[in-house]
């Protein structure tokens, strides 16, 4: 049986197709000295022989393994630096593999939970997953997402108690909704000195006190203490540099608050702080 025609040299398109790359990539290899320029035919086009093709195949095999072009060049030159390069590559691949496992775990949680809640950290997901469908609102998830970005999974897990109480106490949820609507009305048409700002801040303080009392009167506080005791077990869940200070977050996360709304938020913080101090004094006098 006669063999098909065997070329002595091939054009760049055929070379690229055989090696699983593109003519553009091959030209780049020529430009950086990774692949020698082959002889040209009578039509002034490059023609690649067997040695050119084996070199090209090795280049592609090493590139597919994740080795940089500079390190491939060093490998062909036999320099000692290739070992250090391969060690760095192995470390990088291990880091990527770990990141992939984190991504797979997040996807599995998302599929299991069936809502965006599954994309939050296991600490947060675990504390909220047993809530009935619809009890956790989209705005609640948004808040938890921002909190996790600023304070990390533990901070968001602590905040989850608030949403558990809101989901299980209809009267507190109704008051939360009423206050949220009133807060949204603090727009640019209202002066920061309007008496309604102070009045609403006092209402928010009272509501937060009611929420805290509901949390304290439930088993959530005990569960939270257990969570705090296990904090070290989850220390590796956050991405490096994931946390930022609250003040940094204020300067980076847009809320489009009017001056009246900013003043309101300031007064809520001041009133809550005063309430905490009063509580501490009461405890010391008991």
């Amino acid at each position: 049986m006669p063999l098909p025609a065997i070329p002595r040299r091939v054009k760049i398109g055929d070379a690229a197709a055989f090696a699983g790359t593109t003519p553009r990539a091959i030209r780049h290899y020529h430009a950086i000295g990774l692949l020698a320029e082959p002889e040209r035919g009578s039509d002034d086009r490059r023609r690649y022989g067997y040695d050119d093709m084996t070199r090209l195949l090795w280049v592609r095999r090493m590139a597919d393994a994740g080795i940089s072009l500079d390190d491939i060049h060093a490998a062909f030159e036999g320099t000692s630096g290739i070992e250090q390069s391969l060690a760095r590559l192995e470390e990088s691949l291990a880091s990527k593999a770990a990141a992939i496992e984190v991504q797979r775990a997040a996807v599995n949680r998302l599929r299991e939970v069936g809502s965006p809640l599954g994309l939050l950290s296991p600490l947060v997901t675990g504390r909220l997953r047993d809530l009935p469908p619809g009890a956790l609102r989209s705005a609640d998830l948004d808040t938890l997402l921002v909190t996790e970005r600023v304070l990390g999974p533990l901070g968001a897990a602590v905040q989850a108690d608030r949403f558990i109480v809101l989901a299980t106490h209809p009267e507190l949820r109704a008051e939360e909704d009423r206050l949220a609507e009133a807060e949204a009305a603090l727009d640019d048409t209202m002066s920061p000195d309007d008496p309604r700002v102070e009045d609403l801040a006092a209402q928010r303080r009272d509501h937060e006190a009611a929420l805290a009392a509901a949390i304290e009167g439930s088993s959530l506080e005990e569960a939270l203490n257990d969570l705090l005791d296990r904090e070290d077990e989850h220390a590796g869940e956050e991405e490096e540099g994931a946390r930022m200070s609250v003040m940094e977050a204020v300067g980076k996360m847009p809320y489009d608050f009017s001056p009246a709304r900013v003043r309101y938020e300031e007064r809520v913080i001041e009133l809550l702080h005063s309430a905490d101090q009063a509580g501490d004094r009461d405890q010391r006098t008991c």
Side-chain angles (χ1 to χ4, degrees):
M1 180 178 178
L3 294 173
I6 300 176
R8 302 185 70 171
R9 292 183 176 276
V10 296
K11 298 178 182 178
I12 191 170
D14 293 328
F18 185 80
T21 186
T22 64
R24 181 177 180 179
I26 293 177
R27 293 188 186 98
H28 181 62
Y29 299 154
H30 292 322
I32 64 176
L34 195 54
L35 186 65
E37 282 270 5
E39 296 178 4
R40 293 179 180 267
S42 57
D43 55 1
D44 200 34
R45 293 185 176 182
R46 297 181 180 90
R47 293 291 191 276
Y48 296 83
Y50 180 85
D51 291 342
D52 300 317
M53 291 301 298
T54 55
R55 171 88 172 207
L56 178 59
L57 288 172
W58 281 121
V59 169
R60 291 304 312 156
R61 187 60 60 92
M62 285 188 278
D64 289 342
I67 301 174
S68 71
L69 296 182
D70 287 342
D71 290 337
I72 293 174
H73 204 293
F76 280 126
E77 292 181 353
T79 60
S80 58
I82 187 61
E83 289 300 326
Q84 289 81 359
S85 299
L86 293 176
R88 291 195 303 271
L89 174 61
E90 184 176 3
E91 182 178 344
S92 174
L93 291 174
S95 177
K96 290 179 182 178
I100 289 173
E101 287 303 311
V102 171
Q103 292 173 334
R104 291 182 61 187
V107 170
N108 289 335
R109 287 198 307 275
L110 180 60
R111 295 181 64 182
E112 181 180 353
V113 175
S115 77
L117 174 62
L119 290 175
L120 299 179
S121 73
L123 280 174
V124 180
T125 302
R127 287 179 69 74
L128 296 170
R129 68 190 309 163
D130 294 331
L131 289 178
L136 197 64
R137 300 180 179 182
S138 176
D140 300 338
L141 286 171
D142 291 344
T143 299
L144 287 165
L145 179 66
V146 173
T147 299
E148 189 170 286
R149 177 66 182 93
V150 177
L151 300 177
L154 183 61
V158 171
Q159 189 184 54
D161 288 350
R162 173 190 185 87
F163 297 111
I164 295 173
V165 166
L166 288 174
T168 54
H169 293 68
E171 73 286 359
L172 291 176
R173 172 55 85 176
E175 178 65 1
E176 178 72 23
D177 291 343
R178 186 190 71 81
L179 288 172
E181 184 176 353
E183 290 165 351
L186 298 175
D187 56 21
D188 288 317
T189 64
M190 183 178 292
S191 167
D193 299 322
D194 191 303
R196 289 173 291 179
V197 172
E198 183 70 20
D199 181 58
L200 187 59
Q203 294 177 43
R204 171 57 75 178
R205 175 203 56 198
D206 294 343
H207 179 57
E208 293 301 323
L211 284 172
I215 293 173
E216 187 176 356
S218 67
S219 60
L220 293 174
E221 195 169 58
E222 181 180 347
L224 178 58
N225 289 333
D226 292 339
L227 182 67
L228 292 172
D229 290 339
R230 300 195 305 270
E231 178 180 1
D232 290 341
E233 299 176 16
H234 302 280
E237 289 181 2
E238 303 172 50
E239 296 179 3
E240 184 177 354
R243 294 189 185 184
M244 65 180 69
S245 71
V246 175
M247 296 308 295
E248 285 180 307
V250 168
K252 292 180 171 61
M253 183 65 185
Y255 284 97
D256 193 23
F257 284 170
S258 68
R261 181 63 183 271
V262 171
R263 180 55 183 158
Y264 163 80
E265 297 292 341
E266 291 172 344
R267 285 299 294 146
V268 170
I269 293 173
E270 292 167 359
L271 291 173
L272 290 173
H273 181 65
S274 297
D276 288 341
Q277 287 184 323
D280 291 341
R281 285 195 298 269
D282 291 342
Q283 288 182 348
R284 287 196 295 269
T285 57
C286 290

